[in-house]
Amino acid sequence: MSPEGRGIAGGDSFRILHVSTGNVCRSPITERLTRHALAVRLGQTSTGGLIVESAGTWGHEGAPMEANAAAVLADFGADASGFTGRELLDEHVIRADLVLTATRDHRAQVISMGHSAGLRTFTLKEFTRLVRAIDPATLPPLDDGMAERARALVRAAAALRGWLLAPSPDADEVYDPYGAPITFFRSIGDEISQALDPVVTALTGVTARR
């Protein structure tokens, strides 16, 4: 498959891949919250060329999103409809410009697949920490296109990774709520939303409305 959408290929699109284990809880929440945040900031008819997907390292192929995950999305006003789980495949990693995983173990599994994924694969919270340290003024202006800005953001984050370490081993983890009550799902949804906020701001140049 052609690596269309990868940073090395350039172009006007930029593909973000969210990865968890089953692709029925964490990564669907993250995928749909990312899409929702982009729609809110850019307008419902625009994504700025950003394509947002998800998959699972042990993905439940064709399975629906967990009901509690869908309820969390409803809390945020995000759309849960039409989702089906996917197992992570080589082609997903090949096409992705940025891979954001729920945990360090997921990150290691993606990188172990090859495809030069190391420099564009982070845990979600790791990427958030790195993005917070990047001066937006050093990124390409939005006039150059959001995809170009996004690729520059990934390169800058990768360059910082060895210098800006996590404060604790668990700081970069989003824990699995599978089988947990809705209250835990909601706490995970809040974690994901808070982690996504600075990332979407950096990508779009638009801050969230408070």
Side-chain angles (χ1 to χ4, degrees):
M1 177 178 289
S2 169
E4 180 185 356
R6 276 181 56 175
I8 59 170
D12 295 329
S13 66
F14 182 92
R15 193 176 297 265
I16 301 170
L17 176 66
H18 293 295
V19 174
S20 63
T21 303
N23 194 216
V24 291
C25 296
R26 288 168 291 180
S27 51
I29 291 172
T30 315
E31 173 196 318
R32 294 305 176 91
L33 285 183
T34 305
R35 291 186 187 183
H36 179 66
L38 289 170
V40 167
R41 300 190 201 198
L42 299 175
Q44 294 292 337
T45 60
S46 175
T47 63
L50 303 183
I51 302 164
V52 186
E53 302 174 315
S54 64
T57 55
W58 291 90
H60 300 295
E61 189 73 30
M65 187 186 310
E66 280 289 298
N68 282 346
V72 167
L73 290 174
D75 290 343
F76 285 95
D79 183 12
S81 65
F83 181 87
T84 55
R86 300 194 306 176
E87 182 175 357
L88 181 67
L89 302 176
D90 289 84
E91 66 190 60
H92 301 145
V93 177
I94 289 169
R95 289 171 62 86
D97 294 280
L98 172 62
V99 184
L100 296 176
T101 70
T103 69
R104 292 168 295 165
D105 183 58
H106 297 133
R107 181 185 64 194
Q109 290 180 67
V110 172
I111 292 172
S112 73
M113 295 172 72
H115 314 301
S116 304
L119 292 177
R120 51 196 169 91
T121 302
F122 309 79
T123 74
L124 171 62
K125 288 187 174 180
E126 173 192 22
F127 193 66
T128 299
R129 185 177 68 254
L130 299 171
V131 164
R132 287 185 185 276
I134 296 168
D135 181 355
T138 64
L139 300 174
L142 288 167
D143 288 347
D144 290 354
M146 202 168 294
E148 185 60 30
R149 182 182 177 92
R151 281 189 281 271
L153 185 68
V154 173
R155 290 193 297 269
L160 281 175
R161 180 150 43 189
W163 300 93
L164 194 62
L165 302 179
S168 70
D170 294 333
D172 289 339
E173 304 283 290
V174 175
Y175 290 106
D176 192 356
Y178 186 79
I182 186 63
T183 50
F184 188 64
F185 267 84
R186 286 191 168 118
S187 71
I188 293 299
D190 287 340
E191 280 186 37
I192 291 170
S193 177
Q194 291 169 21
L196 284 173
D197 180 67
V199 174
V200 177
T201 296
L203 288 170
T204 64
V206 180
T207 57
R209 287 177 249 171
R210 302 298 180 188

